[in-house]
């Protein structure tokens, strides 16, 4: 079937289309229902199906002849470790970890927080939760204690699994002080902390609370899979919203497994046995979907890389990994290649490696800027594909589906909506815009399998954030347009979310941190363009009258405050003390206007502005802060 035929089949009869795809996974009870409404009126996929995600990712492959195939290639340039873990070995370790969880009282529906670096034990912990029907919530290692605490409070886990440290190039990030601080801050009662000891940071256990990973792996009996309803949550992944409180995106088991298994063939064109490398982190959705679940559901080998695109040890690191492990598909963020390009503009690092194995390079996390696309195309001999997605969906919304039909690409476009997604562009009144006109990018209901059914214990926020603006449509939060040929161009967020080095962050949350400083009267945080990271946050602050401290002191304090509150991942390194901010006559800060100025996108000064002259001041100030 062509792309168009597949797209139309999914649009015209989603139930039949997805029930057909459900056969890609193995069910304990095969679903008869594709899509059904739950009590809250949300569509739920495969509601009467029963299955287990871990069984589909491991057990059935071992049973069906993949026992000795590599499931994971672990490669850690920061420690020098390299390890091949077969499907049989991974299953054995996951069974024991699940046994440990069971012994500690974790069962179906219980939550487990995983705060770990990129080590195999993190993947084992995730799969062990899935095996028992427990719900994992992985927290990215670059977040500080208060961020971990917020997630602990919201998820209320029975257990926390961590390691003694992560390693950032050559800087050891000691996790235990962060974990201890978070456990002090949280309202949640966590019964046990499992700690993986790494040689770079020694273990100092708290006797009552902590257990080593080694003893954890021995305390229980190997656990079998618990069959769960397709609609049971597999995980919660917190992502930035527009306020200080992150959104707990819930992912179900059945729809997720079906959509991900299908995406491996339809979007990425890989087969069982192929090597797939998502150069992301398990703390982000890309890591959940394409380091852990999708490659294993497909019977592929996944690469788990604990390193950076540059400096571990050099700008050829990605090429080395592709060549060493014969990677067929690489998935990364454009910012990673901008970092490589900066250090090795001529791409001379490629010369030492054989990249013939590489069939496609997929990019996401931010728009693939045409200069980076052009640079990559001049260096490597395979399709370079931009595809657009979000934590909320778990897989791509738009892209070039290589396994269905390779569409003619257009630079700057994420190509076309993938089967299952009906994208429309609406104006502020909710009316469809003609081709070529920019507006809010929305997805018509029903959303396909894997998309979030709710936010963890906050269904009202789910409705308010995604569905109340345009009833019948899911609000993506991105702006963009569809051109005359049906190609989608995503132009950036229309809310207070920014993308920094492929990481999604909330300027609203950062404003709360800045506003908490005693000397700050009012503030705004906006994302300005950055040649490497895409966007970086810049704080604009107005000081309280009579504050006698040097500007540089305040700036340093705010930068440190942000590191302590959100974490180094915020990349908050620039604060500008200004005399005033643009406001309406009623005193509301004009954040969307500031955003447009920072982005360099055209805007019409609102008629309600107090003093239009301030806009020129802001343009001058922000121009100094952006590197284009
Ligand atoms: N644990 C602890 N700290 C972390 C961390 C982690 N897992 N990840 C990042 N940090 C820290 C960094 O060490 C850095 O700290 P510093 O301020 O002390 O230098 C800070 O957070 C900012 O990190 P980052 O934004 O990643 O900047 P960088 O300069 O270290 O690296 C890139 C720049 C482009 C190389 C890097 O951001 C990168 O590889 N990006 C790709 C991201 C990606 O794959 N995203 C997934 C979407 S598909
Ligand atoms: P996250 O939920 O962290 O995956 O971030 C999702 C957001 O990243 C989207 O809403 C977009 O703003 C942005 N994004 C991801 N992929 C792309 C892409 N290919 N093109 C443009 N923006 C993207």
């Amino acid at each position: 079937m062509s792309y168009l035929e597949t797209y139309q089949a999914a649009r015209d009869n989603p139930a039949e289309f997805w029930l057909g795809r459900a056969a890609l996974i193995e069910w304990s009870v095969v679903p008869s229902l594709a899509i059904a409404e739950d009590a809250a009126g949300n569509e739920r996929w495969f509601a009467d199906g029963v299955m287990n995600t871990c069984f589909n990712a491991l057990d059935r492959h071992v049973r069906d002849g993949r026992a000795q195939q590599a499931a994971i290639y672990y490669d850690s340039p920061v420690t020098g470790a390299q390890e091949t873990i077969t499907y049989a070995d991974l299953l054995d370790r996951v069974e024991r970890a699940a046994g440990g969880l069971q012994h500690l009282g974790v069962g179906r529906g219980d939550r487990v927080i995983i705060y770990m670096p990129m080590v195999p034990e993190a993947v084992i912990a995730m799969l062990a939760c899935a095996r028992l029907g427990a719900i994992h919530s992985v927290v990215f290692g670059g977040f500080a204690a208060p961020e971990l605490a917020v997630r602990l409070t919201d998820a209320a886990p029975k257990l926390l699994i961590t390691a003694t440290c992560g390693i950032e190039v050559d800087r050891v990030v000691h996790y235990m002080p962060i974990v201890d601080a978070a456990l002090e801050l949280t309202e949640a009662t966590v019964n046990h902390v499992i700690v993986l000891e790494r040689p770079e940071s020694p273990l100092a256990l708290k006797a009552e609370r902590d257990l080593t990973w080694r003893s954890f792996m021995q305390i229980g009996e190997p656990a079998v899979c618990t069959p769960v309803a397709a609609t049971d949550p597999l995980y919660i992944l917190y992502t930035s919203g527009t306020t200080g409180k992150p959104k707990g995106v819930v992912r179900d088991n059945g729809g997720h497994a079906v959509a991900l298994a299908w995406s491996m063939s339809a979007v990425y064109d890989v087969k069982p046995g192929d090597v797939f490398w998502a150069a992301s982190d398990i703390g982000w959705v890309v890591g959940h979907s394409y380091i852990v679940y999708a490659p294993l559901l497909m019977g592929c080998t996944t690469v788990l890389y604990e390193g950076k695109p540059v400096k571990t040890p050099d700008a050829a690191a990605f090429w080395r990994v592709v060549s060493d492990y014969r990677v067929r598909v690489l998935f990364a963020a454009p910012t990673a290649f901008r970092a490589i390009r900066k250090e090795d503009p001529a791409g001379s690092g490629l010369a030492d490696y054989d990249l013939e194995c590489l069939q496609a390079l997929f990019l996401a996390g931010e728009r693939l800027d045409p200069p980076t696309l052009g640079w990559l195309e001049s260096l490597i001999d395979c399709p370079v594909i931009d595809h657009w997605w979000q934590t909320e969906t778990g897989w791509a919304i738009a892209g070039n589906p290589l396994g269905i039909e390779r569409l003619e690409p257009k630079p700057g476009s994420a190509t076309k909506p993938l089967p299952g997604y009906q994208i429309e562009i609406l104006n502020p009144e909710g009316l469809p815009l003609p081709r070529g006109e920019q507006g809010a990018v929305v997805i018509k209901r029903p959303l396909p399998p894997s998309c979030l059914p709710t936010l963890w214990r906050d269904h009202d926020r789910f409705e308010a954030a995604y569905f109340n603006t345009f009833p019948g449509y899911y609000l993506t939060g991105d702006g963009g347009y569809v051109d005359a040929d049906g190609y989608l161009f995503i132009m950036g967020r229309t809310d207070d979310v920014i993308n920094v080095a492929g990481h999604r962050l909330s300027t609203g949350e950062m404003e709360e941190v800045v506003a908490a400083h005693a000397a700050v009267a009012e503030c705004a945080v906006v994302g300005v363009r950055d040649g490497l990271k895409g966007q970086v946050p810049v704080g604009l602050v107005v000081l309280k009258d009579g504050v006698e401290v040097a500007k540089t002191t305040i700036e340093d304090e705010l930068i440190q405050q942000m590191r302590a509150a959100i974490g180094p991942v915020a990349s908050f390194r620039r604060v500008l003390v200004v005399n005033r901010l643009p406001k309406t006559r009623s005193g509301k800060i004009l954040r969307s206007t500031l955003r447009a100025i920072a982005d360099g996108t055209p805007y019409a000064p609102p008629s309600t502005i107090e003093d239009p002259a301030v806009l020129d001041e802001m343009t001058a100030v922000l121009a100094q802060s952006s590197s284009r």
Side-chain angles (χ1 to χ4, degrees):
M1 277 213 292
S2 67
Y3 159 77
L4 192 61
E5 286 162 340
T6 316
Y7 182 81
Q8 286 171 343
R11 183 195 59 196
D12 298 343
N13 195 341
E16 185 182 301
F17 182 87
W18 288 109
L19 265 189
R21 271 74 197 166
L24 290 168
I25 66 159
E26 210 168 298
W27 299 83
S28 312
V29 178
V30 176
S32 65
L33 294 168
I35 186 161
E37 274 195 8
D38 66 10
N42 298 301
E43 53 268 0
R44 302 302 309 262
W45 286 95
F46 312 120
D48 60 351
V50 177
M51 47 78 76
N52 182 283
T53 296
C54 179
F55 176 85
N56 277 281
L58 298 179
D59 303 57
R60 82 172 156 142
H61 298 314
V62 171
R63 183 197 63 198
D64 295 346
R66 295 194 181 279
Q68 295 316 314
Q69 182 195 308
I72 298 178
Y73 288 137
Y74 170 52
D75 187 294
S76 170
V78 295
T79 62
Q82 286 180 328
E83 188 185 357
T84 297
I85 304 174
T86 63
Y87 269 94
D89 188 14
L90 186 59
L91 174 58
D92 174 59
R93 296 201 218 176
V94 169
E95 281 173 332
R96 285 190 285 129
L101 288 174
Q102 225 164 25
H103 182 85
L104 295 170
V106 174
R108 182 175 171 188
D110 291 331
R111 274 81 56 211
V112 173
I113 291 253
I114 300 172
Y115 183 64
M116 292 185 100
M118 288 281 287
V119 289
E121 288 79 0
V123 179
I124 292 167
M126 292 166 77
L127 291 165
C129 290
R131 194 165 188 83
L132 300 181
I135 304 166
H136 62 69
S137 188
V138 181
V139 179
F140 179 62
F143 282 123
E147 289 287 331
L148 178 57
V150 168
R151 287 155 174 79
L152 284 164
T153 302
D154 199 63
K158 277 198 171 158
L159 252 168
L160 190 156
I161 306 183
T162 189
T164 51
C165 68
I167 300 154
E168 281 294 290
V169 187
D170 51 7
R171 177 170 66 93
V172 176
V173 180
H174 299 281
Y175 279 18
M176 292 317 286
I178 301 172
V179 167
D180 289 342
L183 288 170
E184 285 283 313
L185 287 169
T186 182
E187 291 156 24
T189 309
V190 178
N191 300 336
H192 299 284
V193 178
I194 315 296
V195 190
L196 171 75
E197 183 175 18
R198 306 193 81 192
E200 296 77 12
S201 176
L203 203 57
L205 294 186
K206 288 205 164 52
E208 294 288 292
R209 190 194 68 183
D210 300 349
L211 199 68
T212 63
W213 176 268
R214 191 186 291 264
S215 38
F216 165 70
M217 290 292 275
Q218 288 162 359
I219 49 172
E221 291 299 313
V224 296
C225 291
T226 304
V228 298
T231 51
D232 269 18
L234 170 67
Y235 68 77
I236 307 165
L237 180 56
Y238 289 89
T239 189
S240 298
T242 51
T243 66
K245 187 169 179 260
K247 294 171 175 167
V249 168
V250 172
R251 186 86 57 223
D252 65 11
N253 272 277
H256 173 251
V258 171
L260 258 54
W262 185 64
S263 75
M264 287 300 274
S265 57
V267 179
Y268 301 101
D269 194 23
V270 292
K271 295 176 294 304
D274 286 342
V275 180
F276 192 94
W277 178 26
S280 178
D281 187 287
I282 47 144
W284 306 112
V285 67
V286 174
H288 281 62
S289 294
Y290 292 104
I291 296 175
V292 183
Y293 287 109
L296 298 179
L297 286 165
M298 190 62 171
C300 293
T301 302
T302 185
V303 179
L304 184 71
Y305 173 70
E306 189 184 19
K308 301 272 175 184
V310 291
K311 298 191 173 68
T312 57
D314 55 30
F318 272 26
W319 314 131
R320 173 190 64 82
V321 174
V322 168
S323 163
D324 280 1
Y325 299 107
R326 312 312 296 154
V327 170
R328 184 182 163 92
V329 170
L330 168 58
F331 180 161
T335 186
F337 288 103
R338 287 197 298 269
I340 295 171
R341 183 185 183 188
K342 197 167 161 217
E343 297 216 348
D344 179 17
S348 49
L350 267 86
D352 298 333
Y353 299 104
D354 167 16
L355 299 191
E356 219 174 298
C357 53
L358 193 65
Q359 297 297 301
L361 168 57
F362 281 83
L363 295 128
E366 54 175 320
R367 177 170 170 264
L368 173 56
D369 51 294
T372 305
L373 169 65
W375 183 74
L376 284 165
E377 284 181 332
S378 73
L379 289 182
I380 55 175
D381 190 22
C382 70
V384 179
I385 294 168
D386 186 11
H387 63 332
W388 167 62
W389 54 301
Q390 310 187 310
T391 303
E392 287 84 345
T393 63
W395 64 295
I397 308 166
N400 199 337
L402 287 193
I404 302 175
E405 176 187 347
R406 186 174 165 196
L407 302 169
E408 196 53 47
K410 282 196 189 191
S413 166
T415 319
K416 295 199 176 183
L418 289 173
Y421 292 101
Q422 294 180 61
I423 294 176
E424 292 191 22
I425 310 293
L426 302 183
N427 73 8
E429 284 72 48
L431 298 172
L433 283 165
R435 294 268 168 111
E437 278 191 38
Q438 199 167 317
V441 183
V442 298
I443 306 169
K444 194 170 171 206
R445 280 183 128 156
L447 298 176
S450 166
C451 293
L452 78 174
T454 190
L455 291 174
W456 180 250
R457 292 190 173 156
D458 203 351
H459 197 72
D460 288 349
R461 188 175 181 196
F462 168 78
E463 292 288 347
Y466 301 112
F467 294 104
N468 285 359
T469 313
F470 302 118
Y473 294 94
Y474 165 85
L475 183 71
T476 66
D478 282 308
Y481 65 95
V482 174
D483 77 0
D485 302 320
Y487 281 67
L488 177 68
F489 290 75
I490 296 294
M491 304 309 289
R493 298 288 303 196
T494 55
D495 56 13
D496 292 337
V497 167
I498 57 171
N499 260 288
V500 182
H503 306 140
R504 174 166 160 183
L505 298 164
S506 159
T507 53
E509 186 177 3
M510 293 191 214
E511 282 173 8
E512 288 180 23
V513 175
V514 174
H517 191 286
V520 171
E522 52 190 9
C523 67
V525 175
V526 289
V528 301
R529 282 194 203 170
D530 181 79
L532 175 65
K533 297 192 178 187
Q535 281 183 301
V536 288
V538 170
L540 300 169
V541 300
V542 179
L543 298 182
K544 287 182 181 157
D545 287 344
V547 169
E548 295 289 335
V549 192
K551 276 186 187 177
T552 49
T553 310
I554 303 254
E555 289 170 5
D556 288 348
E557 284 173 9
L558 286 171
I559 290 167
Q560 284 317 314
Q561 203 163 299
M562 194 67 77
R563 252 183 120 81
I566 294 185
V569 67
S571 290
F572 186 79
R573 293 180 185 144
R574 194 111 175 80
V575 180
L576 303 166
V577 175
V578 294
N579 294 326
R580 56 185 183 152
L581 289 168
K583 287 196 205 169
T584 61
R585 283 187 285 276
S586 60
K588 195 170 164 294
I589 296 173
L590 289 162
R591 290 195 161 75
S592 56
T593 308
L594 271 174
R595 229 177 13 237
I597 296 173
D599 269 355
T601 49
Y603 66 94
S607 57
T608 51
I609 191 163
E610 193 184 29
D611 176 5
V614 70
L615 297 178
D616 294 333
E617 288 168 32
M618 290 300 122
T619 307
V621 161
L622 288 167
Q624 283 165 22
S625 276
S626 75
S627 70
R628 279 156 208 244

